[in-house]
Amino acid sequence: MTAATDAPTDAPTVEPVDACPVCGARDARPLLPEVHRIGVVRCQGCDLVHATGHYAATYLSESYYGTRAKQRQSLTQPSARDIDRKRRNVELYDRLSGGRLGRPRAGARALDIGCDTGLLLDVLRELGYRTEGIERSPAGAQAQAAGHEVHALDIEVTDLGLGRFDLITMTHVLEHLREPVRGLVWIRRHLAPGGLAVIEVPNWGDLLRPLWGRRFRPLELGDHISFFERATFTAALTRAGLEPEILWSAPQIGTSLAPSLLTAADLALELRRQLRPGRAAPTVAGVAGDRLRSSKQGRRWQRLAGPLVVRGLDSLDSALGPWLEGVFGAHCAWGANLVVVARAHAL
């Protein structure tokens, strides 16, 4: 075993991903080398890009997500910037749905899978939806305190008879699942007749990803398992019986530049630590490694400079987003995110 793959004694446990999460094939071509038994490969069966391992659920829930929840406990109110961003997301989803999402019928039910603190549910409630969420992390308590019904369940293994929903949203969750098709089937089974699903994932085809290799922030190695492109995302939806109405991947300034800025800051932090006497290079991957948010200096930088950077990127998105979409199209292969509006396939 090489030094690059040796695990330090205090590293979190890695659970292997021996087969493709979508098609189950075991033949794969390496794309990124393994560090702490986590690499990235491309399935030779269905072409999906996926990780070869992920950190154990106990580490992710207690250490990674638990730490993030504690860092946010001091915030009594969500920032206006965060709420505005969710409103812009919903405006995009409504535009992609042809205006149907923003005009719910009386009593329409909406479910957000991976609702976090409930900001997206807040916006959907403003539109008139009866809102429910699924959240297994401590953040779900904040969504519940905001008046949303929150369920702590695993859609890969549990049904629990939640009924059917007119709208189901799942943003940046599918890439975490060991069995993403099973999660998509759960969505299909819980859509009401005529209901819509809006699902968003990072795009492996992101133009800037190759510049950063395995350190690229949206990869979140150790936590994310599947890395979708337009074709493999569509194939997974079809396997689950969901019919895409539109798959949007237009480039945006903020969602393209922000991950690169964070990745550059992570690398600068790692270099600073390595220059200290006696400091060895880290051998853990992704979310367990040295990152901006995990350091005291990084949290101070994010608190002071972060809002200014985000505000500037949001302004660029508002000013240039429509122009970029007009030039490169809604189906651009290298946009940072993939957003699908889908319905249950007619049997």
Side-chain angles (χ1 to χ4, degrees), residues 29-189:
R29 175 169 58 88
L31 297 180
L32 294 176
E34 287 195 351
V35 172
H36 188 203
R37 298 189 296 278
I38 300 176
V40 176
V41 299
R42 185 180 291 276
C43 172
Q44 298 297 90
C46 70
D47 215 34
L48 178 77
V49 177
H50 67 87
T52 60
H54 65 91
Y55 292 129
T58 51
Y59 166 78
L60 292 173
S61 61
E62 296 173 9
S63 297
Y64 182 55
Y65 288 107
T67 299
R68 290 173 63 179
K70 289 177 182 177
Q71 290 172 358
R72 291 185 299 188
Q73 281 179 349
S74 60
L75 301 176
T76 57
Q77 296 277 344
S79 71
R81 184 183 66 253
D82 291 336
I83 296 173
D84 287 343
R85 186 176 295 111
K86 290 298 181 184
R87 289 198 177 104
R88 289 197 301 274
N89 289 347
V90 171
E91 287 171 1
L92 170 63
Y93 305 155
D94 184 45
R95 174 165 67 88
L96 298 180
S97 74
R100 287 170 292 166
L101 186 151
R103 298 192 301 269
R105 64 173 179 81
R109 302 177 70 205
L111 175 73
D112 185 26
I113 300 173
C115 68
D116 197 52
T117 59
L119 289 184
L120 183 59
L121 291 175
D122 291 343
V123 178
L124 294 176
R125 183 169 56 191
E126 291 174 357
L127 294 176
Y129 287 97
R130 293 165 50 200
T131 52
E132 298 182 35
I134 292 177
E135 183 56 60
R136 298 166 63 196
S137 80
Q142 292 177 253
Q144 196 162 16
H148 308 293
E149 186 174 353
V150 179
H151 313 275
L153 63 89
D154 184 347
I155 65 172
E156 294 181 89
V157 298
T158 309
D159 196 321
L160 290 187
L162 295 186
R164 293 180 180 269
F165 296 85
D166 301 276
L167 172 65
I168 298 179
T169 56
M170 183 166 69
T171 60
H172 294 269
V173 172
L174 189 67
E175 62 270 19
H176 297 254
L177 304 185
R178 283 194 68 102
E179 298 181 82
V181 173
R182 187 182 292 253
L184 293 172
V185 168
W186 191 100
I187 290 175
R188 174 177 58 79
R189 290 175 175 170

Side-chain angles (χ1 to χ4, degrees), residues 51 242 260 333:
L242 287 169
S260 287

